[in-house]
Amino acid sequence: MIRREDMLELTRRMTPARSSAERIAGAYFDEEGYIDGTFNTHFLNLTPSERAKNLNMAKTVLISKTNDQLKDHLIPLSKRKQGDIWQLLDGIMESGLKDDALLDILYELVGEHMRPGYPFAVFFIFDRYDVPVKGSDREWMEGSEEVYTYLLCSISPLSGEYEPGKPVFGFLYPAFRDRTTDREHINIFEERSESFRELKDWLLGVSGSAGRWG
């Protein structure tokens, strides 16, 4: 189960003044799932209004209805094999979102498993959160418990030329559980339940060659 407090802790920092987001990358797709353009830049290279807009999209994923729209999913050890999606996501995260070759593979796979019938965008934010210590009285203290490194994905229909609207799908990887990194889970967001079943099944490696890329 996802604790609402954990998600709120992450979203409280998602303002242009407080954010520690390091990088943002993404791709634009046509209605058939073909890539129509990509970008990759340091988050601070965005204008203040662009930073605020992208952080709001990220917040939409995390402050959605906990354990309803945003759900916790176990990543079985049996799924962590050479060439699986988790190896790909781990490689993208370890590169700090700087490896365009790995990102291009991921974009192609997303396009194969998501054809909603309208143009859409896939955005990724890479962040490192220096998790502060909480005292026994739940007050913040000086110092850090750990650095939580994560990818946040949001998928949105395009409301204009290269203009993403409100996210309809996304995920937080790895999960943030009890204020610490949980690499055995991923939190997946769907605006409406089972709207993107094929994409989610592929991501979780539910059937067939799902979750494979190599």
Side-chain angles (χ1 to χ4, degrees), residues 118-121 155-160 163-168:
Y118 51 76
F120 64 96
I155 299 181
S156 309
L158 293 178
S159 59
E163 187 65 33
K166 184 179 178 181
V168 293

Side-chain angles (χ1 to χ4, degrees), residues 54-137:
N54 286 297
L55 289 170
N56 282 334
M57 285 199 300
K59 284 194 288 188
T60 297
V61 172
L62 297 182
I63 64 173
S64 57
K65 296 178 182 178
T66 310
N67 302 307
D68 180 4
Q69 292 176 313
L70 182 67
K71 296 182 179 180
D72 203 31
H73 296 272
L74 176 67
I75 305 168
L77 289 177
S78 61
K79 299 298 181 183
R80 288 189 176 276
K81 300 176 181 178
Q82 182 73 21
D84 67 15
I85 184 61
W86 311 111
Q87 183 188 39
L88 181 59
L89 289 176
D90 286 340
I92 290 171
M93 191 162 59
E94 287 167 9
S95 76
L97 212 56
K98 295 178 182 178
D99 192 325
D100 284 321
L102 291 181
L103 283 166
D104 286 344
I105 293 171
L106 184 57
Y107 298 147
E108 290 284 353
L109 290 169
V110 170
E112 289 177 11
H113 294 88
M114 182 171 176
R115 294 186 176 89
Y118 51 76
F120 64 96
V122 177
F123 280 30
F124 286 95
I125 288 178
F126 173 75
D127 194 2
R128 288 189 178 97
Y129 174 37
D130 205 8
V131 183
V133 176
K134 264 190 178 182
S136 57
D137 57 359

Side-chain angles (χ1 to χ4, degrees), residues 158-210:
L158 293 178
S159 59
E161 187 175 7
Y162 299 120
E163 187 65 33
K166 184 179 178 181
V168 293
F169 188 91
F171 62 81
L172 174 67
Y173 176 77
F176 187 58
R177 181 188 298 273
D178 296 328
R179 309 189 66 244
T180 192
T181 304
D182 180 1
R183 296 182 64 82
E184 295 183 356
H185 289 83
I186 181 173
N187 299 154
I188 296 180
F189 160 74
E190 287 181 283
E191 183 186 36
R192 292 187 301 276
S193 180
E194 303 301 324
S195 296
F196 301 100
R197 181 64 178 271
E198 180 183 348
L199 181 63
K200 185 171 72 173
D201 283 355
W202 163 74
L203 188 61
L204 294 173
V206 170
S207 61
S209 61

